[in-house]
Amino acid sequence: MVKLKVTNLKKNYGDLQVLKDIDLEVKEGEVVCVIGPSGSGKSTFLRCLNQLEEMNGGTIIVDDHDLSKKININKVRENIGMVFQNFNLFPHLSILQNIALAPVQLKKQTKAEAKESALKLLDRVGLSDKANSYPDQLSGGQKQRVAIARALAMNPDIMLFDEPTSALDPEMVGEVLNVMKSLAKDGMTMVVVTHEMGFAREVSDRVIFMDGGYIVEQGSPDEVFSHPKNPRTIDFLNKIL
Ligand code: ADP
Ligand code: MG
């Protein structure tokens, strides 16, 4: 079953064309990693997928909802979890409150239900003992695991990750990637922008290489990493590997 279907997606900021013509189909349970140089449009692409940015052309269909039509975007967005590079936790709320806030505010759960599921999610990301701490009492890796738990609290059926480990000290990258690996193993549909090539190779079903607002090459991890065809992919991989 197709979860996400993007056709001829275009996005510009003024005269700057950032996404030129993007096509992508993601099936249920598929893990797609997006790689590519800085400025190639990876973040803009993710932001269009959950409508943090309005697109200028093309269509995005999420679970049969066409985002270019007048539909209740908020309902669609509730089913798409997003994790950012810089965690974006609410500093004045405890870890438990950070996780339980949206399900209660959007009336998906009562306070008691939200608290109970927040505790379960904290257990799942290995942070049961941090429920009553505040974000500034946590390490970067812990904060990012909370951010993942917070996104999961809305019971999304797609998770988008925008360089979730790029702001972390190296010793904390593994703990976040492990949480993401376990999500993938549980069948979550995921689109992950990452510079972690080891993760992309091990976990993804498909790797997408973006450059200059286009998907220049895509394939299995082995195809893209071991047998890249496009000169721009080869050049990029030579620089980073
Ligand atoms: P990536 O995530 O691949 O590094 P981005 O999607 O962040 O790339 O950015 C792609 C291009 O769009 C860059 O040239 C960037 O400067 C530009 N851009 C991104 N966001 C905005 C914005 N809000 N306004 C104007 N230009 C933007
Ligand atoms: Mg980016």
Side-chain angles (χ1 to χ4, degrees), residues 42-43 162-163:
K42 306 180 298 297
S43 295
D162 192 0
E163 299 195 33

Side-chain angles (χ1 to χ4, degrees), residues 62-78:
V62 181
D63 277 336
D64 296 334
H65 301 288
D66 185 342
L67 304 196
S68 55
K69 299 267 160 62
K70 290 249 172 289
I71 53 162
N72 188 344
I73 292 291
N74 285 328
K75 281 284 162 226
V76 176
R77 203 182 273 154
E78 279 173 22

Side-chain angles (χ1 to χ4, degrees), residues 18-19 22 34 37-46 210-213:
V18 177
L19 302 178
I22 301 277
V34 181
S38 179
S40 56
K42 306 180 298 297
S43 295
T44 303
F45 181 44
L46 285 195
M210 275 181 74
D211 194 15

Side-chain angles (χ1 to χ4, degrees), residues 17-187:
Q17 273 200 300
V18 177
L19 302 178
K20 289 171 185 159
D21 192 4
I22 301 277
D23 289 306
L24 179 68
E25 207 174 275
V26 181
K27 295 193 182 68
E28 186 165 8
E30 207 179 1
V31 178
V32 174
C33 281
V34 181
I35 62 171
S38 179
S40 56
K42 306 180 298 297
S43 295
T44 303
F45 181 44
L46 285 195
R47 293 170 63 81
C48 284
L49 291 183
N50 74 348
Q51 297 289 287
L52 289 171
E53 297 287 353
E54 218 174 298
M55 54 190 161
N56 297 109
T59 54
I60 299 175
I61 296 174
V62 181
D63 277 336
D64 296 334
H65 301 288
D66 185 342
L67 304 196
S68 55
K69 299 267 160 62
K70 290 249 172 289
I71 53 162
N72 188 344
I73 292 291
N74 285 328
K75 281 284 162 226
V76 176
R77 203 182 273 154
E78 279 173 22
N79 289 322
I80 305 177
M82 178 115 178
V83 175
F84 302 89
Q85 187 173 343
N86 291 312
F87 329 126
N88 294 359
L89 297 178
F90 305 113
H92 58 293
L93 296 182
S94 73
I95 297 311
L96 189 87
Q97 289 166 333
N98 261 281
I99 298 172
L101 185 70
V104 172
Q105 276 195 342
L106 297 167
K107 299 189 171 37
K108 283 206 162 181
Q109 290 174 356
T110 65
K111 277 190 177 167
E113 284 166 349
K115 187 176 168 187
E116 195 188 320
S117 56
L119 288 170
K120 281 194 191 133
L121 286 166
L122 275 177
D123 186 46
R124 181 165 179 193
V125 300
L127 292 171
S128 294
D129 55 332
K130 299 295 182 191
N132 298 313
S133 301
Y134 282 79
D136 66 5
Q137 296 171 310
L138 268 54
S139 71
Q142 290 171 332
K143 277 189 259 202
Q144 195 59 300
R145 285 187 278 154
V146 171
I148 294 172
R150 183 177 60 174
L152 291 175
M154 289 298 288
N155 243 330
D157 48 20
I158 303 174
M159 286 282 283
L160 309 177
F161 294 86
D162 192 0
E163 299 195 33
T165 59
S166 294
L168 300 178
D169 290 333
E171 73 272 22
M172 293 170 189
V173 169
E175 66 195 61
V176 172
L177 294 181
N178 282 338
V179 169
M180 292 168 63
K181 276 180 208 171
S182 87
L183 269 183
K185 219 168 135 208
D186 289 349

